[in-house]
Amino acid sequence: MSEKDLDTLFDEAFNNAQLIPQESVPQNVQLVLYGLYKQATSGTSNIQVQNPQDLINAFKLNAWIQVKHLTIEEAKQNYIDIINELMRERNL
């Protein structure tokens, strides 16, 4: 698959994610999606601790760190796969 194709599919998945009711997605899946999105759009070089006392940001940072071993392309593909599965499960 060419880079442009993956980028297009990733953008479509991101737009489709907005159609999925947030309350229907378990929080652990939301965190995985967050980590994959950050990895896909920023890579690992920008991982920084903003405020370690902030529990929500600590969970987000942890989700990102857990996928830092993925390439940007792998993170995009994983994000696409999860969004597509969520869309299928919800008949969207």
Side-chain angles (χ1 to χ4, degrees):
M1 177 178 299
S2 74
E3 175 105 17
K4 182 179 178 189
D5 291 337
L6 183 61
D7 288 340
T8 300
L9 291 172
F10 180 74
D11 291 341
E12 288 173 3
F14 179 75
N15 290 331
N16 286 339
Q18 312 314 307
L19 303 174
I20 301 170
Q22 185 175 1
E23 64 276 359
S24 74
V25 181
Q27 288 184 341
N28 63 321
V29 176
Q30 290 179 34
L31 284 169
V32 168
L33 287 168
Y34 174 84
L36 290 170
Y37 180 83
K38 291 296 283 183
Q39 183 68 9
T41 58
S42 301
T44 57
S45 62
N46 294 330
I47 295 178
Q48 301 175 20
V49 176
Q50 298 289 337
N51 180 0
Q53 283 76 21
D54 181 357
L55 189 58
I56 292 171
N57 283 330
F59 276 108
K60 287 179 171 182
L61 179 63
N62 184 51
W64 188 4
I65 289 172
Q66 290 196 25
V67 297
K68 73 178 184 173
H69 65 283
L70 298 175
T71 65
I72 288 174
E73 292 77 18
E74 290 170 330
K76 285 180 179 182
Q77 188 60 58
N78 288 351
Y79 183 92
I80 292 165
D81 293 344
I82 292 171
I83 293 298
N84 288 343
E85 180 62 26
L86 291 171
M87 296 287 288
R88 275 191 297 277
E89 288 174 356
R90 287 151 184 79
N91 296 315
L92 298 173

Coordinates of all heavy atoms in Angstrom, one line a residue:
M1 N 0.9 -1.2 0.0 CA 0.0 0.0 0.0 C 0.9 1.2 0.0 O 1.9 1.3 0.7 CB -0.9 0.0 1.3 CG -1.8 1.2 1.4 SD -2.8 1.1 2.8 CE -3.8 -0.3 2.5
S2 N 0.6 2.2 -0.8 CA 1.4 3.4 -0.9 C 1.1 4.3 0.3 O 0.1 4.2 1.0 CB 1.1 4.2 -2.2 OG -0.2 4.8 -2.1
E3 N 2.0 5.2 0.6 CA 1.9 6.1 1.7 C 0.6 6.9 1.6 O -0.1 7.1 2.5 CB 3.1 7.0 1.7 CG 3.1 8.1 2.8 CD 4.0 7.8 4.0 OE1 4.8 6.9 3.8 OE2 3.8 8.4 5.0
K4 N 0.3 7.4 0.4 CA -0.8 8.3 0.2 C -2.1 7.5 0.5 O -3.0 8.0 1.1 CB -0.9 8.8 -1.2 CG -2.1 9.7 -1.5 CD -2.1 10.2 -2.9 CE -3.3 11.0 -3.1 NZ -3.5 11.4 -4.5
D5 N -2.2 6.2 0.1 CA -3.3 5.4 0.4 C -3.5 5.2 1.9 O -4.6 5.4 2.4 CB -3.2 4.0 -0.2 CG -3.3 4.1 -1.8 OD1 -3.9 5.0 -2.3 OD2 -2.7 3.1 -2.4
L6 N -2.4 5.0 2.6 CA -2.5 4.8 4.1 C -2.9 6.1 4.7 O -3.8 6.1 5.6 CB -1.2 4.3 4.6 CG -1.1 4.1 6.1 CD1 -2.1 3.0 6.5 CD2 0.3 3.7 6.6
D7 N -2.4 7.2 4.3 CA -2.8 8.5 4.8 C -4.2 8.8 4.6 O -4.9 9.3 5.5 CB -1.9 9.6 4.3 CG -0.5 9.6 4.8 OD1 -0.2 9.0 5.8 OD2 0.4 10.2 4.1
T8 N -4.7 8.5 3.4 CA -6.1 8.7 3.1 C -7.0 7.9 4.0 O -8.0 8.3 4.5 CB -6.4 8.4 1.6 OG1 -5.6 9.3 0.8 CG2 -7.8 8.6 1.2
L9 N -6.7 6.6 4.1 CA -7.4 5.7 5.0 C -7.4 6.1 6.4 O -8.4 6.1 7.1 CB -6.9 4.3 4.8 CG -7.1 3.6 3.5 CD1 -6.4 2.2 3.4 CD2 -8.6 3.4 3.2
F10 N -6.3 6.6 6.9 CA -6.1 7.1 8.2 C -7.0 8.3 8.4 O -7.8 8.4 9.4 CB -4.7 7.5 8.5 CG -4.5 8.0 9.9 CD1 -4.5 7.1 11.0 CD2 -4.2 9.3 10.2 CE1 -4.3 7.6 12.3 CE2 -4.0 9.8 11.4 CZ -4.1 8.9 12.5
D11 N -7.0 9.3 7.5 CA -7.9 10.4 7.6 C -9.4 10.1 7.6 O -10.2 10.6 8.4 CB -7.6 11.4 6.5 CG -6.2 12.1 6.6 OD1 -5.7 12.1 7.7 OD2 -5.8 12.6 5.5
E12 N -9.7 9.1 6.8 CA -11.1 8.6 6.8 C -11.5 8.0 8.1 O -12.6 8.2 8.6 CB -11.3 7.6 5.6 CG -11.3 8.2 4.3 CD -11.3 7.2 3.1 OE1 -11.4 6.0 3.4 OE2 -11.3 7.7 2.0
A13 N -10.6 7.2 8.6 CA -10.8 6.5 9.9 C -11.0 7.6 11.0 O -11.9 7.4 11.9 CB -9.7 5.6 10.3
F14 N -10.1 8.6 11.0 CA -10.3 9.7 12.0 C -11.6 10.4 11.9 O -12.3 10.6 12.9 CB -9.1 10.7 11.8 CG -9.3 11.8 12.8 CD1 -8.9 11.6 14.2 CD2 -9.7 13.1 12.4 CE1 -9.0 12.7 15.1 CE2 -9.9 14.1 13.4 CZ -9.5 13.9 14.7
N15 N -12.1 10.6 10.7 CA -13.4 11.3 10.5 C -14.5 10.3 10.9 O -15.5 10.7 11.5 CB -13.6 11.7 9.0 CG -12.7 12.8 8.6 OD1 -12.3 13.7 9.5 ND2 -12.3 12.9 7.4
N16 N -14.3 9.0 10.6 CA -15.3 8.0 11.0 C -15.4 7.9 12.6 O -16.5 7.6 13.1 CB -15.1 6.7 10.4 CG -15.4 6.6 8.9 OD1 -16.2 7.4 8.4 ND2 -14.8 5.7 8.2
A17 N -14.3 8.1 13.2 CA -14.2 8.0 14.7 C -15.2 9.0 15.3 O -15.7 8.8 16.4 CB -12.8 8.2 15.2
Q18 N -15.4 10.1 14.6 CA -16.2 11.2 15.2 C -17.7 10.7 15.1 O -18.5 11.3 15.9 CB -16.1 12.5 14.4 CG -14.7 13.0 14.2 CD -13.8 12.9 15.4 OE1 -14.1 13.5 16.4 NE2 -12.6 12.3 15.2
L19 N -18.0 9.7 14.3 CA -19.4 9.2 14.2 C -19.7 8.2 15.3 O -20.9 7.9 15.5 CB -19.6 8.6 12.8 CG -19.3 9.5 11.6 CD1 -19.4 8.7 10.3 CD2 -20.3 10.7 11.6
I20 N -18.7 7.7 15.9 CA -18.9 6.6 17.0 C -19.2 7.3 18.3 O -18.4 8.1 18.8 CB -17.7 5.7 17.1 CG1 -17.4 5.1 15.7 CG2 -17.9 4.7 18.2 CD1 -16.0 4.4 15.7
P21 N -20.4 7.0 18.9 CA -20.7 7.6 20.2 C -19.5 7.2 21.2 O -19.3 6.0 21.4 CB -22.0 7.0 20.6 CG -22.6 6.5 19.4 CD -21.4 6.1 18.5
Q22 N -19.0 8.2 21.8 CA -17.8 8.0 22.7 C -18.2 7.1 23.9 O -17.4 6.3 24.3 CB -17.3 9.4 23.3 CG -16.1 9.2 24.1 CD -15.5 10.6 24.5 OE1 -16.0 11.6 24.2 NE2 -14.4 10.5 25.3
E23 N -19.4 7.3 24.4 CA -19.8 6.4 25.5 C -20.0 5.0 25.2 O -20.0 4.1 26.1 CB -21.1 7.0 26.2 CG -22.3 6.9 25.2 CD -22.5 8.1 24.3 OE1 -21.6 9.0 24.3 OE2 -23.4 8.1 23.5
S24 N -20.0 4.6 23.9 CA -20.1 3.2 23.5 C -18.8 2.6 23.4 O -18.7 1.4 23.1 CB -20.9 3.1 22.2 OG -20.0 3.5 21.1
V25 N -17.7 3.3 23.5 CA -16.3 2.8 23.4 C -15.7 2.7 24.8 O -15.6 3.7 25.5 CB -15.5 3.7 22.5 CG1 -14.1 3.1 22.3 CG2 -16.1 3.8 21.1
P26 N -15.3 1.5 25.2 CA -14.7 1.3 26.5 C -13.5 2.3 26.7 O -12.8 2.5 25.7 CB -14.3 -0.1 26.6 CG -15.1 -0.8 25.5 CD -15.4 0.2 24.5
Q27 N -13.3 2.7 27.9 CA -12.2 3.7 28.1 C -10.8 3.1 27.8 O -10.0 3.8 27.3 CB -12.2 4.2 29.6 CG -13.3 5.1 29.8 CD -13.3 5.7 31.2 OE1 -12.7 5.1 32.1 NE2 -14.0 6.7 31.4
N28 N -10.6 1.8 28.0 CA -9.3 1.3 27.6 C -9.1 1.3 26.1 O -8.0 1.5 25.6 CB -9.1 -0.2 28.2 CG -10.1 -1.2 27.6 OD1 -11.3 -0.8 27.4 ND2 -9.7 -2.4 27.3
V29 N -10.2 1.1 25.3 CA -10.0 1.2 23.9 C -9.8 2.7 23.5 O -9.0 3.0 22.6 CB -11.3 0.6 23.2 CG1 -11.2 0.8 21.7 CG2 -11.4 -0.9 23.5
Q30 N -10.5 3.6 24.1 CA -10.3 5.0 23.9 C -8.8 5.4 24.1 O -8.2 6.1 23.3 CB -11.2 5.9 24.7 CG -12.6 5.8 24.4 CD -13.5 6.7 25.3 OE1 -13.0 7.7 25.8 NE2 -14.7 6.2 25.6
L31 N -8.2 4.8 25.1 CA -6.8 5.1 25.4 C -5.9 4.5 24.4 O -4.9 5.2 23.9 CB -6.4 4.6 26.8 CG -6.9 5.5 28.0 CD1 -6.7 4.8 29.3 CD2 -6.2 6.9 28.0
V32 N -6.2 3.3 23.9 CA -5.4 2.7 22.9 C -5.5 3.6 21.6 O -4.5 3.8 21.0 CB -5.9 1.3 22.6 CG1 -5.3 0.7 21.3 CG2 -5.5 0.4 23.8
L33 N -6.7 4.0 21.3 CA -6.9 4.8 20.1 C -6.1 6.1 20.2 O -5.5 6.6 19.3 CB -8.3 5.1 19.8 CG -9.1 3.9 19.3 CD1 -10.6 4.2 19.3 CD2 -8.7 3.6 17.9
Y34 N -6.1 6.7 21.4 CA -5.4 8.0 21.7 C -3.9 7.7 21.4 O -3.2 8.5 20.7 CB -5.6 8.5 23.1 CG -4.7 9.6 23.4 CD1 -5.1 10.9 23.1 CD2 -3.5 9.5 24.1 CE1 -4.3 12.0 23.4 CE2 -2.7 10.6 24.4 CZ -3.1 11.8 24.0 OH -2.3 12.9 24.3
G35 N -3.3 6.7 22.0 CA -1.9 6.4 21.9 C -1.5 6.1 20.4 O -0.5 6.6 19.9
L36 N -2.4 5.4 19.7 CA -2.1 5.1 18.3 C -2.2 6.4 17.5 O -1.3 6.6 16.6 CB -3.1 4.1 17.7 CG -2.9 2.7 18.2 CD1 -4.1 1.8 17.8 CD2 -1.6 2.1 17.8
Y37 N -3.2 7.2 17.8 CA -3.3 8.5 17.0 C -2.0 9.4 17.3 O -1.5 9.9 16.3 CB -4.5 9.2 17.4 CG -4.7 10.5 16.7 CD1 -5.2 10.6 15.4 CD2 -4.3 11.7 17.3 CE1 -5.4 11.8 14.7 CE2 -4.4 12.9 16.6 CZ -4.9 13.0 15.3 OH -5.0 14.1 14.6
K38 N -1.6 9.5 18.5 CA -0.4 10.3 18.8 C 0.8 9.7 18.1 O 1.6 10.5 17.6 CB -0.2 10.4 20.3 CG -1.3 11.2 21.1 CD -1.3 12.7 20.6 CE -0.1 13.4 21.3 NZ -0.1 14.8 21.0
Q39 N 1.0 8.4 18.2 CA 2.1 7.8 17.5 C 2.1 8.0 16.0 O 3.1 8.3 15.4 CB 2.2 6.3 17.9 CG 3.4 5.6 17.3 CD 4.7 6.0 18.0 OE1 4.7 6.8 19.0 NE2 5.8 5.6 17.4
A40 N 0.9 7.9 15.5 CA 0.7 8.0 14.0 C 0.9 9.4 13.5 O 1.4 9.7 12.4 CB -0.7 7.6 13.6
T41 N 0.6 10.4 14.4 CA 0.7 11.8 13.9 C 2.0 12.5 14.4 O 2.4 13.5 13.9 CB -0.5 12.6 14.4 OG1 -0.7 12.6 15.8 CG2 -1.8 12.1 13.7
S42 N 2.6 12.0 15.5 CA 3.7 12.7 16.1 C 5.0 11.8 16.2 O 6.1 12.4 16.3 CB 3.4 13.2 17.5 OG 2.3 14.0 17.5
G43 N 4.8 10.5 16.2 CA 6.0 9.7 16.4 C 6.4 9.7 17.9 O 5.8 10.4 18.7
T44 N 7.5 9.0 18.2 CA 7.9 9.0 19.6 C 8.7 10.1 20.1 O 8.9 10.3 21.2 CB 8.7 7.7 19.9 OG1 9.8 7.6 19.0 CG2 7.8 6.5 19.7
S45 N 9.3 10.9 19.2 CA 10.2 11.9 19.6 C 9.6 13.0 20.4 O 10.3 13.7 21.1 CB 10.9 12.5 18.3 OG 9.9 13.2 17.5
N46 N 8.3 13.2 20.4 CA 7.7 14.3 21.1 C 7.1 13.9 22.4 O 6.3 14.6 23.1 CB 6.6 14.9 20.2 CG 7.2 15.6 19.0 OD1 8.3 16.1 19.1 ND2 6.4 15.6 18.0
I47 N 7.3 12.6 22.9 CA 6.7 12.2 24.1 C 7.3 13.0 25.3 O 8.5 12.9 25.5 CB 6.9 10.7 24.4 CG1 6.1 9.9 23.3 CG2 6.4 10.3 25.7 CD1 6.3 8.4 23.4
Q48 N 6.5 13.7 26.0 CA 6.9 14.5 27.1 C 5.9 14.4 28.3 O 4.7 14.3 28.0 CB 7.1 16.0 26.8 CG 8.0 16.3 25.6 CD 8.0 17.7 25.2 OE1 7.6 18.6 26.0 NE2 8.4 18.0 24.0
V49 N 6.4 14.5 29.5 CA 5.5 14.6 30.6 C 5.1 16.0 30.8 O 5.9 16.9 31.1 CB 6.2 14.0 31.9 CG1 5.3 14.1 33.1 CG2 6.6 12.6 31.7
Q50 N 3.8 16.3 30.7 CA 3.3 17.7 30.9 C 3.2 17.9 32.4 O 3.7 18.8 32.9 CB 2.0 17.9 30.2 CG 2.1 17.7 28.7 CD 2.8 18.9 28.0 OE1 2.9 20.0 28.5 NE2 3.4 18.6 26.8
N51 N 2.3 17.2 33.0 CA 2.0 17.3 34.4 C 1.8 15.9 35.0 O 0.7 15.4 34.9 CB 0.8 18.2 34.6 CG 0.5 18.4 36.1 OD1 1.2 17.9 37.0 ND2 -0.5 19.2 36.4
P52 N 2.8 15.3 35.6 CA 2.6 13.9 36.0 C 1.6 13.7 37.1 O 1.1 12.6 37.4 CB 4.0 13.5 36.5 CG 4.7 14.8 36.7 CD 4.1 15.8 35.8
Q53 N 1.2 14.8 37.8 CA 0.2 14.7 38.8 C -1.2 14.7 38.3 O -2.2 14.3 39.0 CB 0.3 15.9 39.8 CG 1.4 15.8 40.8 CD 2.8 16.1 40.2 OE1 2.9 16.8 39.1 NE2 3.8 15.6 40.8
D54 N -1.4 15.0 37.0 CA -2.7 15.0 36.4 C -2.9 13.5 35.9 O -2.3 13.0 35.0 CB -2.7 15.9 35.2 CG -4.0 16.0 34.4 OD1 -4.9 15.2 34.8 OD2 -4.1 16.8 33.5
L55 N -3.9 12.9 36.6 CA -4.1 11.4 36.3 C -4.6 11.2 34.9 O -4.1 10.2 34.3 CB -5.2 10.9 37.3 CG -5.4 9.4 37.3 CD1 -4.1 8.7 37.7 CD2 -6.5 9.1 38.4
I56 N -5.4 12.0 34.3 CA -5.9 11.7 33.0 C -4.7 11.8 32.0 O -4.6 10.9 31.1 CB -7.0 12.7 32.6 CG1 -8.3 12.4 33.4 CG2 -7.3 12.7 31.1 CD1 -9.4 13.5 33.3
N57 N -3.9 12.8 32.1 CA -2.8 13.0 31.2 C -1.8 11.9 31.4 O -1.1 11.4 30.5 CB -2.1 14.3 31.3 CG -2.9 15.4 30.6 OD1 -3.6 15.1 29.6 ND2 -2.9 16.6 31.1
A58 N -1.7 11.4 32.7 CA -0.8 10.2 32.9 C -1.2 9.0 32.2 O -0.4 8.3 31.6 CB -0.7 10.0 34.4
F59 N -2.5 8.7 32.2 CA -3.1 7.6 31.5 C -2.8 7.8 30.0 O -2.5 6.8 29.2 CB -4.6 7.4 31.7 CG -4.8 6.6 33.0 CD1 -5.3 7.3 34.1 CD2 -4.6 5.3 33.1 CE1 -5.6 6.6 35.3 CE2 -4.8 4.5 34.2 CZ -5.3 5.2 35.3
K60 N -3.0 9.0 29.5 CA -2.8 9.2 28.0 C -1.4 9.0 27.7 O -1.1 8.4 26.6 CB -3.3 10.7 27.7 CG -4.7 10.9 27.7 CD -5.0 12.3 27.3 CE -6.5 12.6 27.1 NZ -6.7 14.0 26.7
L61 N -0.5 9.6 28.5 CA 0.9 9.4 28.2 C 1.3 7.9 28.2 O 2.1 7.4 27.4 CB 1.8 10.2 29.2 CG 3.3 10.1 29.1 CD1 3.8 10.6 27.8 CD2 4.0 10.7 30.3
N62 N 0.8 7.2 29.2 CA 1.1 5.8 29.3 C 0.6 5.0 28.0 O 1.3 4.1 27.5 CB 0.4 5.2 30.5 CG 0.8 3.7 30.7 OD1 1.9 3.3 30.6 ND2 -0.2 2.9 30.9
A63 N -0.6 5.4 27.5 CA -1.2 4.8 26.3 C -0.2 5.0 25.1 O 0.0 4.1 24.3 CB -2.6 5.3 26.0
W64 N 0.3 6.2 25.0 CA 1.2 6.6 23.9 C 2.5 5.8 24.1 O 3.0 5.2 23.1 CB 1.4 8.1 23.9 CG 2.2 8.6 22.7 CD1 2.6 7.9 21.6 CD2 2.6 10.0 22.5 NE1 3.3 8.8 20.8 CE2 3.2 10.0 21.3 CE3 2.4 11.1 23.3 CZ2 3.7 11.2 20.8 CZ3 2.9 12.3 22.8 CH2 3.6 12.3 21.6
I65 N 3.1 5.8 25.3 CA 4.3 5.1 25.5 C 4.2 3.6 25.2 O 5.2 3.0 24.6 CB 4.8 5.3 27.0 CG1 5.3 6.7 27.2 CG2 5.9 4.3 27.3 CD1 5.6 7.1 28.6
Q66 N 3.0 3.0 25.4 CA 2.9 1.6 25.1 C 2.9 1.3 23.7 O 3.1 0.1 23.3 CB 1.6 1.1 25.8 CG 1.7 1.1 27.3 CD 0.6 0.2 28.0 OE1 0.1 -0.7 27.4 NE2 0.4 0.5 29.2
V67 N 2.7 2.2 22.8 CA 2.8 2.0 21.4 C 4.0 2.6 20.7 O 4.0 2.7 19.5 CB 1.4 2.4 20.6 CG1 0.3 1.6 21.2 CG2 1.2 3.9 20.8
K68 N 4.9 3.2 21.5 CA 6.0 3.9 20.9 C 6.9 3.0 20.0 O 7.7 3.5 19.2 CB 6.8 4.6 22.0 CG 7.7 3.7 22.8 CD 8.5 4.5 23.8 CE 9.4 3.5 24.6 NZ 10.3 4.3 25.5
H69 N 6.8 1.7 20.2 CA 7.6 0.8 19.4 C 7.1 0.6 18.0 O 7.8 0.1 17.1 CB 7.7 -0.6 20.1 CG 6.4 -1.3 20.1 ND1 5.4 -0.9 21.0 CD2 5.8 -2.2 19.3 CE1 4.3 -1.7 20.8 NE2 4.5 -2.5 19.7
L70 N 5.9 1.1 17.7 CA 5.3 1.0 16.4 C 5.9 2.1 15.5 O 6.1 3.3 16.0 CB 3.8 1.2 16.5 CG 3.0 0.1 17.3 CD1 1.6 0.4 17.3 CD2 3.3 -1.3 16.6
T71 N 6.0 1.8 14.2 CA 6.3 2.9 13.3 C 5.0 3.7 13.1 O 3.9 3.3 13.4 CB 6.7 2.3 11.9 OG1 5.6 1.6 11.3 CG2 7.9 1.3 12.0
I72 N 5.2 4.9 12.4 CA 4.0 5.7 12.2 C 3.0 4.9 11.3 O 1.8 5.0 11.5 CB 4.5 7.0 11.5 CG1 5.2 7.9 12.6 CG2 3.3 7.8 10.9 CD1 5.8 9.2 12.0
E73 N 3.6 4.2 10.3 CA 2.7 3.5 9.4 C 1.9 2.4 10.2 O 0.7 2.1 9.9 CB 3.5 2.9 8.3 CG 4.0 3.9 7.3 CD 5.3 4.6 7.8 OE1 5.9 4.2 8.8 OE2 5.6 5.7 7.3
E74 N 2.6 1.7 11.1 CA 2.0 0.6 11.8 C 0.9 1.2 12.8 O -0.2 0.6 12.9 CB 3.0 -0.2 12.7 CG 3.9 -1.0 11.9 CD 5.1 -1.6 12.7 OE1 5.5 -0.9 13.7 OE2 5.6 -2.6 12.4
A75 N 1.2 2.3 13.4 CA 0.2 3.0 14.2 C -1.0 3.4 13.4 O -2.2 3.2 13.9 CB 0.8 4.2 14.9
K76 N -0.8 3.9 12.3 CA -1.9 4.3 11.4 C -2.8 3.1 11.1 O -4.0 3.2 11.1 CB -1.5 5.0 10.1 CG -1.0 6.4 10.3 CD -0.5 7.0 9.0 CE 0.0 8.5 9.3 NZ 0.4 9.1 8.1
Q77 N -2.1 2.0 10.7 CA -2.9 0.8 10.3 C -3.7 0.3 11.5 O -4.8 -0.1 11.3 CB -2.0 -0.2 9.7 CG -2.7 -1.4 9.1 CD -3.6 -1.0 8.0 OE1 -3.2 -0.4 7.0 NE2 -4.9 -1.3 8.1
N78 N -3.1 0.2 12.6 CA -3.8 -0.3 13.8 C -4.9 0.6 14.2 O -6.0 0.1 14.5 CB -2.8 -0.4 15.0 CG -1.8 -1.5 14.9 OD1 -1.9 -2.4 14.0 ND2 -0.8 -1.5 15.8
Y79 N -4.8 1.9 14.1 CA -5.9 2.8 14.3 C -7.0 2.6 13.3 O -8.2 2.5 13.7 CB -5.3 4.3 14.2 CG -6.4 5.3 14.5 CD1 -6.5 5.8 15.8 CD2 -7.2 5.9 13.5 CE1 -7.4 6.8 16.1 CE2 -8.1 6.9 13.8 CZ -8.2 7.3 15.1 OH -9.1 8.3 15.4
I80 N -6.7 2.5 12.1 CA -7.7 2.2 11.0 C -8.4 0.9 11.3 O -9.7 0.9 11.3 CB -7.0 2.1 9.6 CG1 -6.5 3.5 9.2 CG2 -8.0 1.5 8.6 CD1 -5.5 3.4 8.1
D81 N -7.7 -0.1 11.7 CA -8.3 -1.4 12.0 C -9.3 -1.4 13.1 O -10.4 -1.9 13.1 CB -7.3 -2.5 12.2 CG -6.4 -2.8 11.0 OD1 -6.8 -2.5 9.9 OD2 -5.3 -3.4 11.2
I82 N -8.9 -0.7 14.2 CA -9.8 -0.6 15.4 C -11.0 0.3 15.0 O -12.2 -0.1 15.4 CB -9.0 0.0 16.6 CG1 -8.0 -1.0 17.1 CG2 -10.0 0.4 17.7 CD1 -7.0 -0.4 18.1
I83 N -10.9 1.4 14.4 CA -12.0 2.2 14.0 C -13.0 1.4 13.1 O -14.2 1.5 13.3 CB -11.6 3.5 13.4 CG1 -10.8 4.4 14.4 CG2 -12.8 4.3 12.8 CD1 -11.6 4.9 15.6
N84 N -12.4 0.8 12.1 CA -13.3 0.0 11.2 C -14.0 -1.1 12.0 O -15.2 -1.3 11.7 CB -12.5 -0.6 10.1 CG -12.0 0.4 9.1 OD1 -12.5 1.5 9.0 ND2 -11.0 0.1 8.3
E85 N -13.4 -1.7 12.9 CA -14.1 -2.8 13.7 C -15.2 -2.1 14.6 O -16.3 -2.7 14.7 CB -13.1 -3.5 14.6 CG -13.7 -4.6 15.5 CD -14.4 -5.7 14.7 OE1 -14.0 -6.0 13.6 OE2 -15.3 -6.3 15.3
L86 N -14.9 -1.0 15.2 CA -15.9 -0.3 16.0 C -17.1 0.1 15.1 O -18.3 0.0 15.6 CB -15.3 0.9 16.7 CG -14.3 0.6 17.8 CD1 -13.6 1.9 18.3 CD2 -15.0 -0.1 19.0
M87 N -16.8 0.6 13.9 CA -17.9 0.9 13.0 C -18.8 -0.3 12.6 O -20.0 -0.2 12.6 CB -17.3 1.6 11.7 CG -16.6 2.9 11.9 SD -17.6 4.3 12.3 CE -18.4 4.5 10.7
R88 N -18.1 -1.4 12.3 CA -18.9 -2.6 12.0 C -19.7 -3.1 13.2 O -20.9 -3.4 13.0 CB -17.9 -3.8 11.6 CG -17.5 -3.7 10.2 CD -16.8 -5.0 9.8 NE -15.5 -5.2 10.5 CZ -14.3 -4.7 10.2 NH1 -14.3 -3.9 9.2 NH2 -13.3 -4.9 10.9
E89 N -19.1 -3.1 14.4 CA -19.9 -3.5 15.6 C -21.1 -2.6 15.8 O -22.1 -3.1 16.4 CB -19.0 -3.4 16.8 CG -17.9 -4.5 16.9 CD -16.9 -4.3 18.0 OE1 -17.1 -3.3 18.8 OE2 -16.1 -5.1 18.2
R90 N -21.1 -1.4 15.4 CA -22.2 -0.5 15.7 C -23.0 -0.2 14.4 O -23.9 0.6 14.4 CB -21.6 0.9 16.2 CG -21.1 0.7 17.6 CD -20.0 1.7 18.0 NE -19.5 1.4 19.3 CZ -18.7 0.4 19.7 NH1 -18.3 -0.5 18.8 NH2 -18.3 0.2 20.9
N91 N -22.8 -1.0 13.4 CA -23.5 -0.9 12.1 C -23.5 0.5 11.6 O -24.6 1.0 11.2 CB -24.9 -1.4 12.3 CG -25.0 -2.9 12.6 OD1 -24.2 -3.7 12.0 ND2 -25.8 -3.3 13.6
L92 N -22.4 1.2 11.7 CA -22.3 2.6 11.2 C -21.6 2.6 9.8 O -20.9 1.7 9.4 CB -21.5 3.4 12.1 CG -22.1 3.6 13.5 CD1 -21.1 4.3 14.4 CD2 -23.4 4.4 13.4

